[in-house]
Amino acid sequence: EGISKSQVSALAKTLDAEVAAFRSRPLDSGPYPYLWLDALAMKAREAGRVTSVATVVATAVSADGHREILGLDTFTAEDGAAWTQFLRGLTSRGLSGVRLVVSDDHKGLTGAIAAVLPGCAWQRSLVHYGVGRGVPVCHPRRRERALAA
């Protein structure tokens, strides 16, 4: 047995409201000294067409050591303007006290970090130093398959 199209639509409407509430909630568990930012290229259906989008996530650790997803969004273009808007949205909801941001070295992203979170340190994510990512890594050959996974 499956579920009908109308059941899927009803569930999606309920989920849409919950996601909207999650994405607009105040970030009052801060300060958040450590912030991770990343994007994942995906395909999404918009207006009956399949397009490429960047799904972005902001994850932070609060001062008391609890990890929390602060924000999620999709961009049609992963550029500095989109990242700046995303980060400004987080700060307007209460993101504060950021001392270190960990992300990839996307120029639009690092520029947005410098503009919206001045004074915080930045570090390139170790994940983005992995095999096949254009940055040489020193490791034993026997570990190559595990590191690529």
Side-chain angles (χ1 to χ4, degrees), residues 5 17-18 42-44 46 72:
K5 290 180 182 179
E18 289 183 35
M42 302 182 80
K43 299 288 185 183
E46 293 180 358
L72 299 164

Side-chain angles (χ1 to χ4, degrees), residues 111-132:
I113 293 166
V116 179
L117 302 170
C120 74
W122 173 83
Q123 176 179 311
R124 186 172 183 182
S125 170
L126 291 178
V127 170
H128 295 93
Y129 280 105
V131 175

